[in-house]
């Protein structure tokens, strides 16, 4: 058998095959927790090159690890074994012409989310996926992890926004599922199955995405609430009263605000009142005839009358809205700058958020008294980024990271939610999945993996445990 | 081995096991095209009984055919082999208490869609799935076929509305996936995979469904358009201008209107103008502050100025809206009463509807000159129920049904659409799938089937071809 590295260099050319020092930037995950040096990094220029790479690796018995923007938080896009090839989609960045009448667009998997947003702007169309990593995250990775983000409660997760897919299978065959229709019930929903499969069933190379018209007006407000119960009640009221317009419903806590203000000196909070919880509301409409500000203002008034809202301010301009959003968006950075932290990606039914926060606080304080709890996230879909900082005066968690993760995941499971809401399992959460999800579920997943990737060469060690 | 019928009667009791004459109502599909007598019909009372039935059948080598309301159009809920047990979910009709703050509800698979609508009414919540068969179709069947209906372009298909599932696997194990969260990326999206699997991978026994607040006001209009190109352009305009409110965007043709008026004497058409195409528009909002009628009225005005709309009438009351809707809803009945007909369940990218209609007409006329073409359906998602009546003076299609189906499915495929938009494959369209979808796609599906149902006992002959 020929040297697979030589064969890959031959197929891909010098721009398409990186090894040694050149491969290093691809090696570690974003949190710098996972990853050893691969045999090399393949950077194919098109789908047929991806297929060729997969075939060579298959014959040579090499693992294949697809990588998008490498912004994942669970270590799913790097390798823990050396006889592996990372397949970076970063050279496949073509963006098709949007279909204006249909509201869809075909893109290659390596397109960066922010680049797609930009490309759509002149067409008055938008792709409604927004998340912190959008400047680096690539479409293929977003599909592989079934990304959610801040507008998922309104427009859906990636699985809801993908109309068609092209995938290179673990055999190196190309599945052309690039249809551009929502309604396609011609068999199993493969396009959905590959969303969230984290590259373990094949490599997504292209996709047809669903687009929405860009709204012509927006309104926003920052609200100060006494507690989570109030936030939940107000959220339910807003869904009924302004559900069609609601594009943002983000929450954060006073501790998170405090940390962000402390560590990011250019950040400012301009309301007079502080509360336990803050809610960031955003409405948008395609029609100029909708009195968005009035709708939001009167909801705010109602909330104050009911005692659900302590204080609030409407964003009177786009600049003001951006200021409000930064308070939420800088939450992760503020906490990071505070020192050591633990992150948990929880979801619970939106109505159960307050109960989760209360029960979670008790659980955490039992594990490490004084641990500082900083949940923020997406109220509309119950997605809580439940982050911890050490107790005041401590620099670490006394080795209790596993205990926190265990207890919080069990609590989310018990409440009908998930311990892996939008970040996926990757390498980091397989054991947690085995514990929290019954054997029937894990067995079904193992069987799917075995059926589509019988040799287990596609992103091994991610999502499901390899057979012993 | 004991007699399996006796074992099943023992497990299920007399109400739960029907055979002979009693089983006959379950035997044939709705279009009366498929179905032989099964060994019997199991009507389990709960999930554990479903699991027991599956286990008995598995041991006895009997096929298991899940059946909901048996309203499917592709023969997927009846058996073509006699050593089979139909498992009717019709006794599992429990509806849980809706979670008002979260917007979700747990139901058993046998709940009739209309009964769910009714149960939700007092709570000001709705389940946004509407289709002709809603008075008989059951949730499990809607999930199994991944139903779409008239609001899918706005709220999604069943796969988008299912948060959690409980499924009895082909082994008789119970998968408890009854989570109540949208964001759950803890592995493969099993909940999506079972949607549209047509009972070939297991039996859906319970589901957690996503609910939306009931709108507090609605507006509607009936529009007369010169042609499909105008309808497509006006549709794109409406999506940009009133996308948040749009809950209905149905089209039908003048031939369909003619047939409905001819065969349904109580139906009346009250506009003065007739056109080639009619559009039924429905807007809804949770806020009373949105000037829905004004938004719709001015869109209509714009359409008239542009020559896209020939005539139109706003529905000034709920009764008037219902009258307009009946014109669309009676399309299938009108055509049925006209005599022989051929149905095709097509989807194309919404912007391509006019092109499909034009090309389809040419194709059909080449096959049988004078054949009468009556497309109606859902403009928002490009779903065309492309139905044919014989040429004037003929009673049949001259044996050319297969040719029409073949040609139209190829055309839809070529245009990036589907020949099985919302009705599924069942038994009727497997050969069509094999022809229109490449071998890679069909092979992936066969492998999924083999992985989850290695003995092939679950609804054999549906969706995928059994291994030879």
């Amino acid at each position: 058998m020929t040297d697979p590295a030589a064969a890959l260099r031959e197929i891909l050319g010098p721009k398409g095959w990186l090894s040694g020092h050149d491969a290093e930037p691809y090696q570690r995950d974003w949190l710098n927790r996972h990853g050893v040096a691969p045999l090399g990094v393949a950077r194919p220029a098109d789908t047929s090159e991806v297929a060729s790479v997969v075939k060579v690796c298959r014959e040579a018995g090499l693992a294949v690890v697809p990588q998008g923007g490498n912004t994942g938080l669970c270590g799913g896009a790097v390798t823990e074994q050396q006889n592996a090839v990372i397949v970076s989609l970063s050279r496949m960045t073509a963006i098709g012409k949007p279909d204006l009448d249909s509201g869809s667009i075909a893109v290659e998997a390596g397109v960066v989310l922010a680049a797609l947003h930009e490309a759509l702007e002149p067409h008055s169309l938008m792709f409604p996926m927004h998340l912190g990593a959008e400047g680096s995250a690539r479409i293929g990775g977003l599909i592989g992890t079934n990304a959610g983000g801040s507008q998922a409660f309104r427009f859906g997760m990636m699985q809801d926004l993908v109309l068609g897919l092209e995938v290179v299978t673990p055999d190196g065959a190309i599945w052309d599922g690039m249809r551009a229709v929502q309604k396609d019930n011609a068999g199993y929903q493969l396009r959905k199955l590959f969303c969230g499969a984290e590259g373990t069933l094949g490599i997504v190379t292209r996709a047809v995405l669903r687009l929405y018209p860009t709204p012509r007006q927006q309104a926003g407000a920052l609200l100060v609430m006494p507690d989570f119960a109030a936030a939940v009640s107000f959220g339910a009221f807003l869904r009924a009263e302004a559900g069609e317009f609601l594009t943002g419903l983000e929450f954060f806590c006073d501790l998170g605000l405090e940390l962000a203000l402390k560590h990011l000196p250019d950040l400012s909070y301009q309301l007079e009142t502080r509360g336990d919880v803050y809610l960031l509301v955003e409405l948008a409409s395609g029609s100029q005839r909708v009195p968005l500000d009035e709708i939001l203002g009167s909801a705010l008034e109602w909330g104050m009358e009911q005692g659900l809202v302590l204080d609030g301010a409407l964003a009177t301009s786009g600049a003001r809205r951006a200021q409000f959003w930064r308070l939420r968006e800088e939450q992760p950075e503020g906490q990071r700058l505070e020192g050591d932290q633990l992150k948990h990606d929880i979801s619970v039914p939106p109505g159960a958020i307050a109960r989760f926060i209360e029960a979670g606080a008790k659980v955490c304080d039992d594990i490490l008294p004084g641990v500082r709890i900083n949940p923020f996230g997406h109220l509309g879909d119950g997605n809580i980024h439940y982050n911890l900082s050490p107790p005041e005066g401590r620099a670490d968690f006394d080795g209790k990271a596993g205990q926190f993760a265990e207890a919080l995941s069990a609590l989310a499971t018990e409440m009908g939610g998930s311990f892996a809401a939008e970040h996926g399992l990757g390498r980091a959460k397989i054991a947690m999945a085995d514990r929290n999800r019954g054997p029937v579920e894990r067995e079904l997943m193992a069987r799917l993996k075995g059926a589509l990737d019988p040799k287990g060469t596609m992103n091994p060690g991610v999502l499901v445990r390899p057979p012993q």
Side-chain angles (χ1 to χ4, degrees), chain A residues 260-268 326 337:
Chain A
L261 293 171
K262 173 176 164 192
H263 294 290
L264 295 145
D266 67 323
L267 208 61
S268 75
R326 268 201 74 208
L337 293 168

Side-chain angles (χ1 to χ4, degrees), chain A residues 23-81:
Chain A
E24 277 174 20
Y26 299 81
Q27 184 177 322
R28 297 287 292 172
D29 76 316
W30 193 79
L31 292 175
N32 200 24
R33 289 185 185 156
H34 301 272
V36 300
L39 178 69
V41 175
R43 299 177 67 235
D46 58 32
T47 301
S48 73
E49 286 191 4
V50 175
S52 300
V53 169
V54 169
K55 278 181 198 153
V56 167
C57 291
R58 187 183 160 85
E59 270 177 42
L62 295 170
V64 174
V65 179
Q67 187 179 97
N70 197 18
T71 63
L73 299 176
C74 298
V78 292
T79 178
E80 293 285 16
Q81 63 184 79

Side-chain angles (χ1 to χ4, degrees), chain A residues 241-423:
Chain A
E241 185 63 28
E244 305 101 57
F245 316 113
L246 212 48
T247 53
L249 196 56
E250 297 287 295
F251 69 88
F252 55 93
C253 293
D254 204 51
L255 172 62
L257 178 62
E258 192 60 46
L259 296 179
L261 293 171
K262 173 176 164 192
H263 294 290
L264 295 145
D266 67 323
L267 208 61
S268 75
Y269 176 76
Q270 296 171 348
L271 275 72
E272 287 182 7
T273 319
R274 295 277 285 264
D276 271 9
V277 184
Y278 302 83
L279 210 57
L280 200 62
V281 180
E282 196 159 81
L283 306 184
S285 175
S287 172
Q288 297 286 10
R289 285 188 170 78
V290 176
L292 277 191
D293 280 323
E294 190 189 315
I295 290 171
L296 188 50
S298 79
L300 209 152
E301 231 168 79
W302 177 87
M304 287 178 132
E305 279 166 27
Q306 302 291 314
L308 302 175
V309 177
L310 299 177
D311 194 3
L314 293 184
T316 46
S317 67
R320 188 89 164 121
R321 239 190 350 265
Q323 273 182 356
F324 287 169
W325 267 98
R326 268 201 74 208
L327 292 174
R328 158 69 180 88
E329 278 166 353
E330 297 291 10
Q331 294 284 316
E333 188 59 5
Q335 188 156 25
R336 191 183 70 83
L337 293 168
E338 177 73 1
D340 202 5
Q341 58 169 327
L342 296 174
K343 288 169 174 285
H344 309 93
D345 176 31
I346 302 285
S347 69
V348 293
I353 289 179
R355 273 190 294 132
F356 182 88
I357 299 284
E358 195 185 331
K362 199 180 163 325
V363 158
C364 290
D365 205 68
D366 283 352
I367 294 172
L368 182 62
V371 67
R372 288 177 296 162
I373 301 168
N374 182 27
F376 54 84
H378 318 293
L379 194 85
D381 49 40
N383 185 188
I384 307 169
H385 299 299
Y386 194 94
N387 296 353
L388 303 178
S389 288
E392 290 281 3
R394 271 201 79 103
D396 64 16
F397 294 94
D398 198 20
K400 289 172 170 169
Q403 279 183 60
F404 284 114
E406 178 96 4
L408 291 166
S409 63
L411 188 60
T413 300
E414 203 183 295
M415 292 174 78
S418 180
F419 55 88
E422 59 176 6
H423 299 163

